[in-house]
Amino acid sequence: MTWAGFAQQLINGISLGSLYALVAIGYTMVYGILRLINFAHGDFLMVAAYLGIFGLAMFSLPWPVAFLAALAITGLLGALLERGAYRPLRRAPRLSLLISAIGASFLLENLALVFLGGRPLPFPTPAVFAGSFQVAGLYIPRLSLLIPGITLILLAALFVLVSHTRTGMALRALAHDWEATALLGINVNRLISLTFILGSILAGVGGLLWAMKYPQVNPFLGVLPGLKAFIAAVLGGIGNLAGAVVGGLVLGILEVLLVAWFPAWSGYRDAFAFVLLIIVLLASPTGLLGESIMEDKL
Amino acid sequence: MLKIINLSAAYGSIPALQDVSLHVPAGQIVALIGANGAGKTTLMRTITGLQSPQTGKIIFRNREIQHLATPEIMRRGLALCPEGRRIFPNLTVQENLILGGYYSPDRRLRRDLAEIYQLFPRLAERQQQRAGTLSGGEQQMLALGRALMSRPHMLLLDEPSLGLAPLLVQEVFKTLARINRRGTTILLVEQNAAAALKLAHYGYVLETGRLSFEGPSHDLLHHPKVRSAYLGE
């Protein structure tokens, strides 16, 4: 492969990896606080993508309004999911929560299937996000720069929130010791809702960007990116915010390079991610950066 | 301040508290002494809403609280310095304290922090250190400071002397007396009966889930049965 070709693939990989990272953060935050793998998380990509279509195509809103509205509703639905599917099971065995998460995922997918149909809808990508340019012989879609850029800004904001605000302190405390946090009079339920809102909004951003990158939206859009992001979170060390970002990038880049180097294997790109998951779980179950449960400042 | 009426609670299926009634008047220090497994910690957990009682009432500042959730109970002016301290080891000393005053406006928070640092100069020296790196005594100070940050009407202490050297125990108890003189009501749960009764105004003895004796702490200190069972004489 030429250097230009490699650079090209690297850009693609970083762009894909950033999307995984955005979604992986939600898995890792919820795991840090509830010790739950929120399997419905990936479906919020799909939710946000459909909401984006409604805003843009049905209501003809300007894209910033449509996107913000889609994200706000996605965040709200995230909090509702916790209220309906997880909070009632707060004192139940962890396995019940997991089953509830899988159920919630099926529910979301099938609600979309019933009400929106199985036929993929085209995503009307706003002009700002479309197009591409050429630099030094490289063909770079505008999105390939926007995706990592947006991801970087959002993650920086999240890290500031977690490590420098009172709310962030409380989140870290909650991840370490639920009872001790409640004993300080801190409204634990509100923090949990906030965790779901933040995670869902990040997944929503991921969903909108995903829908512009691959502009076909169907009810199962979130399944595979969701699973890959989960793998990314495990790869980086679940519960570890920085780990989710590293895991996402590593997975995205490896996946793209694998396909580029071995075009004949491109059909196995998804299988590759799962093989990687199995290897990580066998070799180093706490992932690359270790399972730090959001306690560390970074 | 705090009134407990005919409280019963179980730990799993094992009864841990049976028909416990006690009263902590405003401004006083009340000691609850008892051996390991007598139900002291269960009582603390029940008062703070971490565990539901089977029967009975808990009245704090003229309101029944036994059905409220933990954060609501604590926000009514209660603070617990829990057994084993339960500080947040990966947060700094300062962050631990700030969480104690989570809902305080910034100005009040700064003032309260300064006050706690004055009360515990050792914590001031270690503000930016992770709490997990503190010694046992310092961690106890931190747990106490964190509990005080909410300016509670009443402070519950679960075994504050546990694991501390005798000299440090003295220091902690002196601090408690000082906190009480400033107007904070205290319910102190202790295995270290001698130290607790010397500090307290009134005492209760808990034995396998039931209260067996009560009285002014001076009387308890001289009660022959208490002396033989808890003061090692």
Side-chain angles (χ1 to χ4, degrees):
Chain A
M1 191 189 292
T2 62
W3 276 111
F6 179 74
Q8 178 85 61
Q9 296 305 337
L10 199 62
I11 290 168
N12 293 344
I14 289 172
S15 155
L16 183 65
S18 307
L19 284 176
Y20 291 156
L22 270 182
V23 183
I25 287 278
Y27 278 108
T28 238
M29 281 179 74
V30 166
Y31 182 85
I33 282 171
L34 293 185
R35 301 292 186 276
L36 159 76
I37 304 295
N38 176 15
F39 274 117
H41 186 61
D43 294 304
F44 283 87
L45 274 85
M46 173 272 289
V47 169
Y50 274 114
L51 289 170
I53 293 181
F54 295 154
L56 291 169
M58 265 171 73
F59 299 106
S60 314
L61 297 170
W63 72 265
V65 180
F67 282 9
L68 284 179
L71 293 177
I73 297 172
T74 308
L76 221 61
L77 285 172
L80 266 175
L81 168 77
E82 188 268 327
R83 257 315 211 328
Y86 306 142
R87 194 172 296 183
L89 297 171
R90 195 69 63 73
R91 281 166 200 234
R94 197 114 318 141
L95 189 61
S96 314
L97 271 167
L98 197 66
I99 303 290
S100 189
I102 294 170
S105 170
F106 286 170
L107 181 72
L108 283 171
E109 287 160 17
N110 287 290
L111 279 178
L113 193 60
V114 169
F115 290 107
L116 305 166
R119 207 155 44 95
L121 298 180
F123 192 88
T125 304
V128 206
F129 295 93
S132 59
F133 48 90
Q134 277 182 305
V135 181
L138 296 182
Y139 168 83
I140 304 174
R142 205 177 279 177
L143 261 181
S144 291
L145 291 187
L146 284 174
I147 290 174
I150 292 169
T151 303
L152 197 69
I153 293 167
L154 290 176
L155 295 186
L158 182 72
F159 285 128
V160 169
L161 173 82
V162 169
S163 50
H164 294 294
T165 66
R166 251 192 244 189
T167 308
M169 282 174 213
L171 286 173
R172 280 181 282 141
L174 186 62
H176 179 75
D177 188 338
W178 186 305
E179 281 186 357
T181 309
L183 282 171
L184 297 177
I186 296 173
N187 191 332
V188 169
N189 284 333
R190 202 177 297 164
L191 284 176
I192 292 171
S193 296
L194 178 73
T195 305
F196 275 84
I197 290 172
L198 290 177
S200 309
I201 288 178
L202 291 181
V205 173
L208 291 173
L209 293 172
W210 190 274
M212 292 191 282
K213 196 170 157 71
Y214 309 102
Q216 293 285 322
V217 177
N218 70 68
F220 302 99
L221 167 109
V223 176
L224 219 49
L227 280 173
K228 299 253 187 80
F230 163 63
I231 293 170
V234 174
L235 181 63
I238 189 120
N240 184 325
L241 290 183
V245 179
V246 172
L249 285 172
V250 167
L251 183 63
I253 292 169
L254 283 181
E255 190 183 317
V256 168
L257 288 182
L258 179 90
V259 176
W261 275 324
F262 308 103
W265 294 5
S266 61
Y268 296 107
R269 63 187 297 171
D270 298 331
F272 163 74
F274 293 102
V275 170
L276 192 63
L277 173 68
I278 292 168
I279 293 172
V280 171
L281 289 178
L282 288 175
S284 163
T286 55
L288 296 174
L289 301 196
E291 195 174 330
S292 81
I293 319 291
M294 290 213 325
E295 290 162 17
D296 292 314
K297 266 192 157 179
L298 257 183
Chain B
M1 179 71 59
L2 179 75
K3 216 173 203 158
I4 293 173
I5 303 164
N6 302 115
L7 188 75
S8 296
Y11 187 79
S13 57
I14 310 150
L17 291 175
Q18 288 175 55
D19 212 23
V20 169
S21 296
L22 63 81
H23 178 50
V24 185
Q28 294 215 342
I29 301 182
V30 171
L32 180 77
I33 60 176
N36 232 343
K40 302 187 304 276
T41 294
T42 304
L43 181 63
M44 289 284 136
R45 292 180 65 83
T46 313
I47 295 173
T48 54
L50 292 175
Q51 198 178 320
S52 319
Q54 290 169 311
T55 55
K57 281 183 190 170
I58 304 171
I59 298 162
F60 178 58
R61 297 179 66 212
N62 302 318
R63 197 176 151 204
E64 280 187 33
I65 57 165
Q66 70 270 12
H67 53 270
L68 295 180
T70 303
E72 290 170 56
I73 295 173
M74 308 318 276
R75 281 205 298 276
R76 291 188 55 76
L78 194 64
L80 170 69
C81 195
E83 189 185 3
R85 297 156 202 144
R86 312 232 348 219
I87 52 154
F88 305 113
N90 287 295
L91 273 61
T92 64
V93 168
Q94 174 115 310
E95 288 174 332
N96 268 275
L97 291 174
I98 291 173
L99 286 176
Y102 189 68
Y103 291 107
S104 304
D106 279 347
R107 269 181 55 204
R108 188 178 130 182
L109 187 78
R110 272 197 297 276
R111 209 168 46 226
D112 291 349
L113 272 175
E115 211 172 293
I116 297 297
Y117 286 141
Q118 207 185 348
L119 195 62
F120 304 110
R122 280 273 264 298
L123 296 183
E125 291 163 26
R126 304 182 190 284
Q127 286 180 38
Q128 300 307 327
Q129 220 168 301
R130 285 190 182 215
T133 64
L134 300 182
S135 72
E138 290 164 345
Q139 290 192 9
Q140 186 60 57
M141 301 291 174
L142 179 58
L144 201 53
R146 185 180 65 179
L148 290 173
M149 282 295 291
S150 62
R151 296 193 187 174
H153 291 276
M154 180 170 175
L155 183 60
L156 304 173
L157 294 128
D158 196 352
E159 303 274 10
S161 75
L162 202 70
L164 295 187
L167 213 65
L168 278 171
V169 174
Q170 254 184 26
E171 203 180 318
V172 168
F173 277 56
K174 256 188 220 154
T175 312
L176 293 182
R178 200 143 37 123
I179 292 165
N180 175 246
R181 276 200 299 276
R182 291 180 182 187
T184 308
T185 308
I186 293 179
L187 174 61
L188 171 65
V189 168
E190 260 297 342
Q191 270 190 77
N192 187 341
L197 287 175
K198 270 176 204 148
L199 178 73
H201 302 100
Y202 199 86
Y204 291 88
V205 179
L206 191 65
E207 266 173 14
T208 56
R210 292 173 186 281
L211 290 177
S212 52
F213 301 101
E214 66 173 281
S217 46
H218 183 78
D219 295 357
L220 284 184
L221 267 173
H222 295 97
H223 193 292
K225 277 203 179 139
V226 175
R227 289 186 77 92
S228 67
Y230 298 100
L231 302 174
E233 286 173 25

